[in-house]
């Protein structure tokens, strides 16, 4: 932003002018000094005016020559006397290069532009299948096709994450815990059934249908917006406590999974402090495959998938 300083600031006196004014108005007269005659005073006045006028003309000529020289050098640091700026060669150039009165430009100084998503080190494109975003605002594309494979537990998942899924469950069991996958890939029809069943349950509790649908969407994804339809999500519970409640976080199986799932490319998709971003309540049983590199970064940064993608 360019500021019109000729209007915004009054003309400033130089340091020499201010010191001279102080001596002229504040210096007391001593008794030894003779009082000048009227004629002498007039001559002094005339000579003084002439001297000041001549000095002013010389100053204007000097400034004009300096300005012309600066223009010939590309106009860097050009200022005007009316702005009260320092002469060329004594700091005036700073005004044109981010000096006083100029707002800094982040694009020139190398700062990151606003609203730009952060850059992470995984090297994956946002279009990579592992980073496909599905949430209440991002529905699955109708043309999206999932290459399915079956786990040793008989669950369907995207075949590209099958090996890491088997490794995750195997490591958990080898550590002495009892993970049970209660849900993996779901079809559109399955998701519709789950959603409508929950709506009916709330209506029976006294909700209106409209309110029941709004409330249901916070705990059961609307059909077409569930990660389970990608084949990249697992609902895993402890065999000793199969209920899908927040109490899952206290089970030994969940504590192990939350600590180690990233090593196998999974993240806890809906953390307790990210509901305002994900649009889904805390689910300490829902794990999403994103690949090991991304899972590690999300864990280290303490963010969710939406934040990772800059959405």
């Amino acid at each position: 932003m360019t500021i019109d300083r000729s209007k915004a600031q009054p003309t400033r006196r130089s340091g020499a002018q201010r010191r001279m004014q102080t001596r002229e108005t504040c210096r007391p007269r001593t008794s030894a000094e003779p009082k000048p005659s009227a004629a002498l005073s007039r001559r002094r006045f005339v000579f003084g005016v002439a001297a000041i006028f001549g000095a002013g003309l010389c100053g204007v000529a000097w400034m004009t020559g300096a300005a012309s020289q600066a223009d010939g050098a590309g106009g860097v640091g050009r200022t005007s006397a009316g702005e009260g700026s320092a002469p060329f060669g004594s700091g005036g150039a700073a005004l044109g290069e981010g000096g006083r009165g100029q707002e800094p430009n982040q694009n020139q100084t190398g700062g990151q532009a606003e609203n730009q998503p952060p850059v992470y080190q995984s090297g994956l494109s946002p279009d990579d299948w592992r980073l496909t975003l599905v949430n209440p605002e991002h529905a699955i594309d109708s043309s999206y096709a999932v290459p399915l494979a079956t786990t040793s537990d008989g669950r369907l998942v995207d075949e590209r994450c099958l090996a890491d899924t088997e490794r995750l469950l195997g490591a958990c069991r080898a550590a002495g815990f009892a993970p049970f996958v209660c849900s993996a890939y779901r079809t559109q029809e399955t998701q519709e059934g789950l959603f409508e069943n929950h709506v009916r349950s709330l209506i029976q509790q006294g909700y209106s249908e409209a309110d029941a649908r709004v409330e249901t969407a916070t705990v059961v994804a609307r059909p077409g917006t569930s990660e389970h339809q990608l084949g990249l999500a697992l609902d895993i519970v402890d065999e000793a406590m199969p209920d899908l409640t927040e109490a899952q976080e206290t089970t030994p199986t969940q504590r192990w999974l939350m600590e180690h799932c990233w090593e196998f490319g999974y993240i806890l998709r809906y953390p307790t402090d990210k509901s305002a971003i994900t649009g889904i309540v805390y689910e300490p049983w829902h794990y999403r495959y994103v690949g090991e590199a991304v899972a590690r970064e999300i864990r280290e940064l303490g963010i969710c998938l939406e934040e990772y993608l800059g959405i």
Side-chain angles (χ1 to χ4, degrees), residues 262 266-267 290-301:
W262 68 270
Y266 278 88
I267 60 172
V290 292
E292 183 181 343
V294 174
R296 180 189 299 109
E297 285 191 286
I298 286 178
R299 173 183 168 82
E300 291 174 351
L301 294 168

Side-chain angles (χ1 to χ4, degrees), residues 1-18:
M1 179 175 69
T2 302
I3 299 176
D4 187 350
R5 298 183 184 280
S6 63
K7 296 181 179 180
Q9 298 183 6
T11 302
R12 299 169 57 187
R13 294 174 179 267
S14 67
Q17 287 175 325
R18 290 194 298 272

